[in-house]
Amino acid sequence: MVRIFLLFSVVSLAFFWATTGQAAKGPLFRQGGNPHNLSFSNTGVNYKATNATDPRATQVCIFCHTPHNARAQTPLWNRADSTQTFGHYTSSTLKINKDATAQSLSDYVAEPNGSSRLCLSCHDGVTALGAILHGGFDNSAIEINNSVSTVMTGVKVFNKAKVTSHHHPVSFKYTANVVARLNTLENPTHTYTLPVNSTSNARTFIKFDRDQRAQCISCHEPHQSQYLDTVNNPPLTPFWVYDGSGLATVSPTTVHDEVCTACHNFVSPNP
């Protein structure tokens, strides 16, 4: 009877998502399966604390945040800045990098900054994942995967080669003046718009920082993916800010592209 009930529940839930056009979300930060939760109790993830006798290993937030003695920046950050040099995306077609006016208006500086820099303190592939600044009476690194020196590897690493050649630019100001300059340079093959004026369903989910800079968190929500992509490996939409609200059909591709078209209007080629 229990199995029948569970099967009915799963089928009903799937039918609900299909008929409403809504997508399932990823696990909350405190739940099992969220990759940003490095605590000992997490399950189904590649990296987690493994020393059950270390009381810090059972804490969920400590790997990124501390309520006391944090770095002099928000949000109560508990990690040192990455020592790596990353550079910026440098495609020959990237007008924001090649045009002096666009570069000046967007303040396209040499290195990722702000919250994107915080993300890189784990994703640089060099800094130990358990290297916290403050952990109560013990500020040493927390053991991850049986070592205090464990670093991230694989496709989730953002080193200089990946940041400069394969990834969307970050840490640039995206203002009305920047949009106007880019449209002058690229129209009609590729035009731009501010999310607030976009027709994309995802426009209200896109968020810039207080300096109007596009950062990693403009498209990614570090604490919970609002759209759980179970089709692609690695996910096309990892920790996506947008859940597909307002779309008649919800899939990894449509959810992904809605975020892109909140700022871009691809005339040729299509995204």
Side-chain angles (χ1 to χ4, degrees):
M1 179 61 73
V2 173
R3 290 183 177 178
I4 293 175
F5 175 75
L6 290 175
L7 177 61
F8 175 77
S9 299
V10 171
V11 172
S12 298
L13 184 61
F15 179 76
F16 172 78
W17 293 126
T19 53
T20 61
Q22 296 298 304
K25 298 180 180 179
L28 286 168
F29 186 73
R30 64 178 181 273
Q31 296 174 327
N34 187 312
H36 283 160
N37 176 357
L38 301 181
S39 69
F40 178 78
S41 60
N42 202 359
T43 58
V45 293
N46 292 329
Y47 303 103
K48 58 179 286 186
T50 46
N51 183 0
T53 65
D54 185 345
R56 304 170 303 164
T58 61
Q59 299 181 42
V60 175
C61 305
I62 193 173
F63 299 93
C64 293
H65 303 286
T66 178
H68 305 290
N69 301 314
R71 289 184 58 193
Q73 63 188 99
T74 57
L76 296 175
W77 202 241
N78 199 23
R79 302 184 62 82
D81 192 10
S82 173
T83 59
Q84 302 303 295
T85 300
F86 300 97
H88 269 320
Y89 184 62
T90 55
S91 168
S92 60
T93 61
L94 185 67
K95 302 300 184 185
I96 205 170
N97 185 45
K98 298 297 182 182
D99 176 75
T101 300
Q103 187 173 11
S104 177
L105 290 172
S106 64
D107 191 22
Y108 196 59
V109 293
E111 288 289 311
N113 60 23
S115 60
S116 293
R117 196 79 187 181
L118 303 186
C119 301
L120 291 167
S121 70
C122 267
H123 285 268
D124 63 357
V126 174
T127 306
L129 296 174
I132 60 172
L133 292 179
H134 301 285
F137 296 104
D138 188 352
N139 297 331
S140 63
I142 300 173
E143 182 183 284
I144 301 291
N145 291 9
N146 300 311
S147 171
V148 295
S149 302
T150 298
V151 299
M152 187 176 292
T153 61
V155 297
K156 296 175 183 177
V157 170
F158 289 83
N159 54 20
K160 182 177 180 62
K162 190 170 185 178
V163 169
T164 56
S165 302
H166 305 293
H167 198 262
H168 192 284
V170 294
S171 304
F172 62 90
K173 293 182 179 179
Y174 196 68
T175 65
N177 288 335
V178 173
V179 169
R181 182 59 182 170
L182 293 178
N183 284 335
T184 298
L185 294 169
E186 297 203 25
N187 190 42
T189 58
H190 185 178
T191 58
Y192 298 83
T193 186
L194 288 174
V196 66
N197 297 323
S198 174
T199 58
S200 165
N201 288 287
R203 66 188 185 282
T204 59
F205 295 82
I206 305 300
K207 293 179 175 58
F208 300 137
D209 69 12
R210 60 187 178 186
D211 294 327
Q212 198 66 11
R213 293 181 187 274
Q215 304 284 10
C216 298
I217 59 172
S218 297
C219 300
H220 303 278
E221 163 56 72
H223 295 114
Q224 182 186 27
S225 184
Q226 300 303 302
Y227 179 81
L228 184 60
D229 180 3
T230 59
V231 176
N232 302 285
N233 187 22
L236 181 63
T237 56
F239 283 93
W240 218 229
V241 294
Y242 178 51
D243 63 358
S245 301
L247 294 177
T249 302
V250 179
S251 71
T253 300
T254 54
V255 168
H256 177 270
D257 288 356
E258 278 289 321
V259 172
C260 300
T261 56
C263 294
H264 297 262
N265 179 21
F266 299 91
V267 178
S268 176
N270 291 322

